[in-house]
Amino acid sequence: MGVWESILGKDGRRFVKRKDSDAGEHGRALEELRSSMYSDFHTSEGAKRQQQRLCGPFVAMTFNFIVAVGIIMANKVVMGKVGFNFPVALSLIHYVTSWFLMAIFKALSLLPAAPPSKATPFSSLFVLGVVMALATGLANVSLQHNSVGFYQMAKIAVTPTIVLAEFMLFSKKVSLQKVITLGIVSVGVAVATVTDLEFNFFGACVALAWIVPSAVNKILWSNMQQTGNWTALALMWKTSPITIFFFMVLMPLLDPPGVLSFGWNWNNVAAIVISALFGFLLQWSGALALGATSATSHVVLGQFKTCVIMLGGYIFFKSDPGMVSLFGAVVALCGMSFYTYLNLRDSKESSAGAIKQLLPKQNSFSLKPKTIIDEEDNTDAINPV
């Protein structure tokens, strides 16, 4: 017997062993917590689980709605009061700012991990970056060369284009109820927003050319997040350099000259930087909404923003868009509400179906331990200690 054993005695030795055991359990718990946190931040699967847990459909769409209203105000200041009438250059500044912020996140190890390069070919990321630049650039040119009514009609045409494209690319079918509801929403938005339809041949060509990239852009953002382990920030980080490059190509072709000779004073720069920060939040929130819902739901959210802004202006700021436009906005909002109800019902049915499929597997697994316990009980009865 050693010196410590003679001093502590039998009870003392048990106490020390118990303390060592508790310390070992605490150490294992901390190690498990550390590995869990590492998995959540440094693996694409863990990062995607965190995004799905923290940012569901309601949170993502609410975030996108609030930011969209904010960027409308910021861009009105930049385009109106500041007089920065270079839309493609402004979009370029937005994406450069987003990339710079994400570079800071990456340096601080706060940027979610991307899936392995083998999981997603570079061609898919390249196409998404190009389509994003085309969708943004052509939208700005369409708004310059078309009346507001014609521009809104082009935006409404994105909805059936998405439904058709998803059916052709992924064999995704939409129920008859949803088709009718989307039709009602589109008609209501058209009545609410289309007040003039001035035709311009070049503007019409640009609007038609914009519809397909806009639809494909939303479909790819939604599909790549839902079928792969991509998070919104990780996908933005990979595609932003491609988009920035094509913005630099499109800027001299689509923007008027004079961006370098613009009055770059502190007040103007501050307004543009604020707009760029909202641009980053809008891109992030839009990607979150597309990942949490679908391309069609994101378009409906955009139409919802249009109608709410119109009704809010009428209620709070006494603007008068006309009774016909107000009626169209109300009809569109009713259609959007029913469309949301259909989506919630479908999600509940799919969740219930998944649970029913899992129950037989869980029952089959639960039977095996019971058999083992019965055999152990019989063994104990035959060979009592």
Side-chain angles (χ1 to χ4, degrees), residues 10-326:
K10 187 175 181 181
D11 294 335
R13 290 196 301 272
R14 288 179 181 175
F15 178 77
V16 172
K17 289 181 180 179
R18 186 165 62 249
K19 287 295 183 182
D20 291 340
S21 176
D22 293 342
E25 290 178 359
H26 286 304
R28 284 192 296 271
L30 289 174
E31 186 63 29
E32 290 177 359
L33 178 62
R34 189 182 297 111
S35 63
S36 175
M37 292 178 65
Y38 181 87
S39 175
D40 290 341
F41 284 100
H42 294 87
T43 64
S44 58
E45 296 86 354
K48 183 178 179 180
R49 286 195 300 269
Q50 285 296 313
Q51 177 175 299
Q52 291 174 338
R53 183 174 66 87
L54 298 174
C55 193
F58 178 77
V59 175
M61 298 183 81
T62 303
F63 181 28
N64 184 241
F65 174 78
I66 294 172
V67 173
V69 175
I71 199 171
I72 288 173
M73 304 300 179
N75 284 347
K76 279 186 176 181
V77 173
V78 172
M79 294 286 189
K81 185 177 180 180
V82 175
F84 190 79
N85 297 314
F86 307 96
V88 179
L90 184 61
S91 300
L92 174 62
I93 294 172
H94 286 185
Y95 276 83
V96 170
T97 304
S98 299
W99 185 85
F100 179 73
L101 291 173
M102 288 185 289
I104 295 175
F105 293 162
K106 188 173 180 63
L108 298 175
S109 299
L110 297 176
L111 191 72
S117 57
K118 296 180 180 179
T120 304
F122 177 75
S123 58
S124 299
L125 299 175
F126 182 81
V127 169
L128 180 56
V130 174
V131 167
M132 194 156 42
L134 288 175
T136 306
L138 291 175
N140 293 326
V141 177
S142 175
L143 188 58
Q144 281 184 335
H145 293 276
N146 288 310
S147 63
V148 177
F150 199 92
Y151 177 76
Q152 290 292 340
M153 287 296 293
K155 287 180 66 175
I156 293 169
V158 173
T159 303
T161 305
I162 289 176
V163 174
L164 180 61
E166 286 185 329
F167 176 75
M168 294 176 63
L169 296 175
F170 308 112
S171 300
K172 184 177 179 180
K173 298 180 180 179
V174 181
S175 65
L176 181 60
Q177 282 184 319
K178 286 187 178 182
V179 171
I180 295 174
T181 304
L182 290 172
I184 294 173
V185 171
S186 299
V187 171
V189 173
V191 172
T193 59
V194 179
T195 56
D196 57 333
L197 277 176
E198 297 178 5
F199 182 79
N200 180 287
F201 180 75
F202 177 76
C205 292
V206 172
L208 291 175
W210 167 77
I211 291 172
V212 173
S214 178
V216 173
N217 179 45
K218 296 179 184 298
I219 292 171
L220 291 179
W221 271 101
S222 180
N223 184 68
M224 290 181 70
Q225 289 186 81
Q226 293 181 5
T227 59
N229 289 320
W230 285 99
T231 59
L233 283 175
L235 198 54
M236 287 166 58
W237 172 251
K238 291 292 185 180
T239 56
S240 289
I242 303 170
T243 305
I244 289 171
F245 173 77
F246 278 92
F247 271 137
M248 295 177 67
V249 174
L250 292 173
M251 187 173 66
L253 300 175
L254 301 179
D255 267 358
V259 63
L260 296 179
S261 59
F262 177 74
W264 296 97
N265 56 51
W266 287 108
N267 292 333
N268 294 346
V269 170
I272 293 173
V273 169
I274 292 173
S275 172
L277 293 176
F278 272 108
F280 165 70
L281 293 176
L282 182 67
Q283 186 186 359
W284 184 23
S285 62
L288 288 172
L290 285 166
T293 57
S294 66
T296 307
S297 298
H298 190 256
V299 173
V300 173
L301 175 63
Q303 296 170 344
F304 172 77
K305 288 182 286 190
T306 302
C307 295
V308 167
I309 289 172
M310 176 184 294
L311 293 175
Y314 174 74
I315 295 172
F316 298 107
F317 301 105
K318 306 302 180 182
S319 64
D320 187 14
M323 293 306 298
V324 175
S325 296
L326 292 174

